[in-house]
Amino acid sequence: MAKKRKIKKSVLVAISIVAFFIIYGLAFYAGTYLDNKDKPKVESKEDEEIDNRPLMKQLSSKKKIYMSNEEVENIKVDEIYWDEVKYELTKFSKVRKSDKFTPIYTGYSDDGVRFSTDLNLFRIYTVNEEVYYKIPVSEKTRFEKILSGSIYTSFDFVKKYKTWKNVSVSYNDQKKTIHKWKYDDLAYKMSSKRIVGKIQPEKNKERSKYNFTIDIQGDNYTLKIETMGKDYVKISSDKGEAYYEVSIALYEYLREEIFKLPVDSDDSE
């Protein structure tokens, strides 16, 4: 019977090393594939859509705008006010960059287009570009009124209870103070649906048995919020006024929790 040929030890070692690297390579490839197969494709800069429109057109196309001044920051501007701002922008004329520019109002869109103004010039800029526009002298007063109104009668501004100093609520000849530890409760009940005209809210106020007035004194500002039935409020300040359709939670909170009044027949509608 022929003897079995013995495989040299050095050959076995070489085969083992080769097998190890083959198995390791396959395992590494499989792991990398499984790790990346569910990840979304990352687009390169060449794949990104670049907006080459003039900055004024880019800004005018935005929907979500936030504004700040020296007193408050990042107030969401309601659409009606932003439409008024955009109308004013059409009256501005492009000029060269100015070294004398100290902004009073600043703002930004949710995707990186920013702007600022000292009420003489209007600046629009991104990380790559900036342009300046001259504000006509005849438009300065109106433009400032729109900008300040968009901040101080915004529902987003009204709800910033950490800036409140004193708050009281009135109903007929009754007046009650809201204590600071209840500010967040009151603010939580304030939920805006949309900004509206004055006709329907004023009609609702006339028909409603209960109407309440909230007076807020804050950091360098005062506000008045008047309920107009269950569904509307009027916000007034020295900067302007605005009407909103709101959640009935605010009306119910004032009636039930603050003044403990009985249910009106209209409340069940």
Side-chain angles (χ1 to χ4, degrees):
M1 188 174 179
K3 293 182 178 180
K4 293 181 180 179
R5 181 180 296 176
K6 292 184 179 181
I7 300 175
K8 292 183 178 180
K9 186 176 181 181
S10 59
V11 175
L12 288 172
V13 171
I15 292 173
S16 299
I17 292 173
V18 172
F20 170 78
F21 280 106
I22 291 173
I23 294 170
Y24 177 81
L26 290 172
F28 179 81
Y29 173 80
T32 302
Y33 172 78
L34 292 173
D35 186 51
N36 291 307
K37 74 183 184 76
D38 293 326
K39 290 183 179 179
K41 180 183 177 182
V42 178
E43 295 181 352
S44 64
K45 289 186 178 180
E46 290 77 15
D47 295 329
E48 293 178 357
E49 184 178 348
I50 299 175
D51 193 341
N52 291 316
R53 295 176 301 166
L55 289 181
M56 180 64 85
K57 286 192 175 182
Q58 291 186 42
L59 180 61
S60 297
S61 69
K62 305 307 178 186
K63 300 295 184 183
K64 293 182 179 180
I65 297 293
Y66 300 84
M67 284 185 54
S68 306
N69 62 13
E70 295 176 346
E71 298 173 345
V72 293
E73 296 182 340
N74 305 325
I75 303 300
K76 186 178 180 181
V77 178
D78 288 290
E79 187 174 348
I80 288 180
Y81 274 112
W82 181 235
D83 285 342
E84 292 187 41
V85 172
K86 289 190 293 184
Y87 177 71
E88 289 297 306
L89 298 183
T90 64
K91 304 174 185 179
F92 300 171
S93 55
K94 193 173 180 179
V95 294
R96 285 187 290 183
K97 179 179 179 180
S98 173
D99 294 328
K100 297 180 180 180
F101 183 77
T102 303
I104 299 172
Y105 295 93
T106 61
Y108 62 92
S109 69
D110 58 344
D111 60 355
V113 179
R114 295 180 173 272
F115 62 90
S116 57
T117 182
D118 62 357
L119 300 176
N120 292 308
L121 296 172
F122 188 81
R123 177 192 181 208
I124 311 174
Y125 58 104
T126 64
V127 293
N128 298 317
E129 185 182 2
E130 70 174 347
V131 291
Y132 285 79
Y133 288 83
K134 178 67 177 175
I135 301 172
V137 174
S138 59
E139 297 297 325
K140 286 182 183 180
T141 300
R142 172 171 169 76
F143 189 52
E144 181 175 20
K145 184 177 180 181
I146 293 171
L147 294 179
S148 62
S150 69
I151 289 177
Y152 290 102
T153 61
S154 166
F155 225 82
D156 189 36
F157 169 73
V158 170
K159 293 181 64 172
K160 291 190 179 297
Y161 65 89
K162 291 184 179 179
T163 67
W164 297 354
K165 298 299 182 184
N166 296 288
V167 180
S168 63
V169 184
S170 302
Y171 165 68
N172 291 342
D173 58 349
Q174 301 180 53
K175 185 175 182 178
K176 297 196 175 185
T177 298
I178 305 297
H179 298 291
K180 288 188 176 182
W181 60 84
K182 288 190 175 182
Y183 285 0
D184 57 344
D185 287 342
L186 178 58
Y188 181 74
K189 304 300 180 183
M190 298 178 181
S191 179
S192 166
K193 294 182 178 179
R194 61 192 177 102
I195 194 168
V196 295
K198 67 181 292 185
I199 296 177
Q200 187 60 45
E202 293 289 353
K203 286 183 177 179
N204 263 36
K205 182 178 181 180
E206 292 176 4
R207 292 194 297 259
S208 180
K209 180 177 180 179
Y210 302 128
N211 288 296
F212 309 96
T213 300
I214 305 170
D215 289 296
I216 300 173
Q217 183 175 354
D219 291 328
N220 302 313
Y221 70 87
T222 57
L223 284 175
K224 178 178 289 187
I225 305 170
E226 301 172 67
T227 66
M228 300 191 155
K230 305 186 299 294
D231 301 305
Y232 299 96
V233 298
K234 176 183 177 182
I235 297 175
S236 306
S237 75
D238 60 343
K239 309 297 183 181
E241 63 181 38
Y243 294 82
Y244 289 87
E245 183 180 0
V246 296
S247 164
I248 65 171
L250 175 61
Y251 172 87
E252 291 178 339
Y253 177 75
L254 297 176
R255 180 180 62 78
E256 297 174 10
E257 301 294 330
I258 304 302
F259 289 99
K260 304 187 186 305
L261 297 169
V263 176
D264 180 38
S265 58
D266 291 338
D267 292 345
S268 58
E269 294 180 359

